């Protein structure tokens, strides 16, 4: 190309500055403080226009080609992704909202995103499915913020109880669903439910126990009997036998008795509430 001449003086064209190679590694999860934090400025209007034109051209090819346009788009897309990445459309930051630190690590390990990879070609639906495959996540939403950011909003499963059944110990959420990967040893403060079906049925029982602080602090475990009803084992060795039906009324009656007679402070062996409208208290040491 001939040198550009302005004002009668010949000026040699300068070679384009060499671009520093993009750093490789896991995309940053630190909150963004602005473009300066990433070591580069805003994209120029011309760059954005060229990128948009490239994307528009790809869309036209796919629409015009019909069904087999998908294969064309796949092959052309790699080239477009690389070109757009060169213009700044590459992944530099991943923001994860709604997850605990342990959940964030599990999500990043699952996705294996790399800093500097093209961001335009990322399959957001596949990423969402991968995030929801993480045991701690019940629901996820993935949003791409051009030129360089990915935002992941998740709803985590909240541990509700530790479930022991058939020799296995797991952690269940508020719907009684087992949380894969949750270590029961980290949740010793949660109520312990025992027996077949106890994990699923705990979603009804545990909230009632949590609303009864005096019972909660004395509870050792809740044992599911024939997958129909519960026995509450207290740390004192006493047992409260709950009915199969109408748990709400049973807890109201139990709490009223405790307020009037300080029932939970008494040395009883058993409180039998299985018969509707009847409560039988067996003192400790009686036959």
């Amino acid at each position: 190309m001939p040198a550009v001449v302005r004002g009668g003086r010949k000026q040699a064209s300068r070679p384009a500055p060499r671009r520093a190679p993009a750093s490789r590694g896991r995309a940053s999860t630190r909150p963004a403080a602005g473009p300066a934090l990433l070591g580069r400025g805003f994209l120029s209007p011309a760059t954005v226009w060229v990128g948009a034109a490239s994307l528009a051209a790809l869309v036209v090819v796919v629409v015009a080609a019909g069904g087999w346009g998908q294969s064309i788009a796949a092959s052309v897309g790699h080239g477009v992704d690389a070109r757009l990445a060169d213009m700044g459309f590459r992944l530099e930051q991943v923001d994860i909202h709604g997850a605990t630190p342990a959940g964030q690590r599990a999500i990043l390990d699952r996705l294996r995103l790399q800093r500097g990879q093209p961001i335009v070609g990322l399959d957001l639906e596949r990423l969402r499915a991968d995030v929801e495959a993480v045991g701690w996540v019940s629901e996820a939403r993935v949003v791409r913020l051009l030129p360089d950011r990915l935002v992941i909003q998740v709803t985590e499963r909240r541990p509700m109880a530790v479930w022991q059944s058939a020799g296995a110990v797991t952690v269940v959420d508020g719907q009684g669903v087992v949380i894969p990967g949750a270590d029961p040893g980290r949740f010793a403060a949660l109520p312990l439910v025992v027996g077949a079906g106890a994990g699923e049925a705990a979603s009804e029982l545990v909230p009632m126990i949590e609303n009864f602080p005096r019972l909660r602090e004395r509870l050792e475990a809740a044992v599911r009997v024939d997958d129909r009803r519960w026995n509450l084992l207290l740390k004192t060795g006493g047992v409260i036998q709950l009915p199969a039906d109408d748990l709400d009324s049973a807890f109201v009656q139990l709490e009223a008795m405790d307020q009037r007679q300080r029932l939970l402070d008494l040395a009883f062996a058993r409180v039998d509430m299985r018969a509707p409208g009847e409560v039988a208290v067996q003192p400790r040491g009686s036959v």
Side-chain angles (χ1 to χ4, degrees):
M1 176 182 290
V4 178
V5 178
R6 292 179 182 246
R9 180 173 296 178
K10 186 174 183 180
Q11 299 178 354
S13 59
R14 297 180 179 179
R18 296 184 62 186
R19 189 183 189 89
S23 60
R24 288 288 173 178
R26 177 167 288 174
S28 170
T29 57
R30 293 179 298 175
L37 185 67
L38 301 176
R40 57 188 183 81
F42 290 103
L43 295 174
S44 68
T47 300
V48 174
W49 185 90
V50 171
S54 299
L55 288 175
L58 179 58
V59 171
V60 169
V61 169
V62 174
V63 172
W68 57 270
Q70 296 297 330
S71 59
I72 297 179
S75 58
V76 174
H78 294 299
V80 172
D81 286 347
R83 176 68 181 276
L84 292 177
D86 288 342
M87 293 187 293
F89 291 91
R90 57 178 178 268
L91 183 63
E92 295 293 342
Q93 183 169 316
V94 178
D95 296 334
I96 302 177
H97 302 290
T100 60
Q104 291 185 17
R105 289 192 297 271
I107 290 170
L108 290 176
D109 288 342
R110 175 82 183 191
L111 298 183
R112 296 188 175 277
L113 296 168
Q114 298 294 321
R115 171 177 285 176
Q117 73 180 93
I119 190 172
V120 174
L122 289 177
D123 186 339
L124 300 188
E125 182 59 26
R126 184 186 63 79
L127 290 177
R128 182 195 62 77
D130 285 344
V131 173
E132 291 185 348
V134 175
W136 284 95
V137 179
S138 64
E139 187 177 8
R141 181 169 177 259
V142 181
V143 177
R144 175 172 37 219
L145 297 181
L146 296 178
D148 57 13
R149 183 182 297 183
L150 200 67
V151 178
I152 302 173
Q153 179 70 48
V154 304
T155 301
E156 278 195 338
R157 302 184 190 278
R158 299 300 179 188
M160 179 190 64
V162 175
W163 177 25
Q164 178 181 326
S165 180
V169 182
T170 55
V171 179
V172 295
D173 66 7
Q175 286 70 49
V177 178
V178 173
I179 302 176
D183 180 8
R186 294 181 49 209
F187 299 98
L190 293 179
L192 173 64
V193 296
V194 181
E200 296 86 348
S203 60
E204 179 186 13
L205 178 73
V206 170
M208 297 181 187
I209 293 175
E210 296 294 350
N211 289 329
F212 195 167
R214 280 177 51 80
L215 175 61
R216 175 68 183 91
E217 67 185 17
R218 291 164 174 77
L219 183 67
E220 181 72 27
V223 179
R224 189 71 171 163
V225 180
D226 297 329
D227 203 10
R228 293 183 59 252
R229 63 172 197 85
W230 296 94
N231 281 348
L232 304 182
L233 308 185
L234 305 187
K235 296 174 182 177
T236 58
V239 180
I240 300 174
Q241 297 173 298
L242 295 174
D245 301 311
D246 202 4
L247 271 183
D248 284 328
S249 297
F251 268 89
V252 169
Q253 187 175 17
L254 185 63
E255 188 166 15
M257 293 174 61
D258 186 53
Q259 290 176 352
R260 290 194 308 266
Q261 305 166 10
R262 308 299 288 181
L263 175 66
L264 296 179
D265 292 334
L266 300 179
F268 62 83
R270 183 177 64 169
V271 175
D272 189 347
M273 305 182 72
R274 291 175 292 178
E278 297 181 12
V279 178
V281 179
Q282 179 184 344
R284 188 174 302 166
S286 63
V287 178

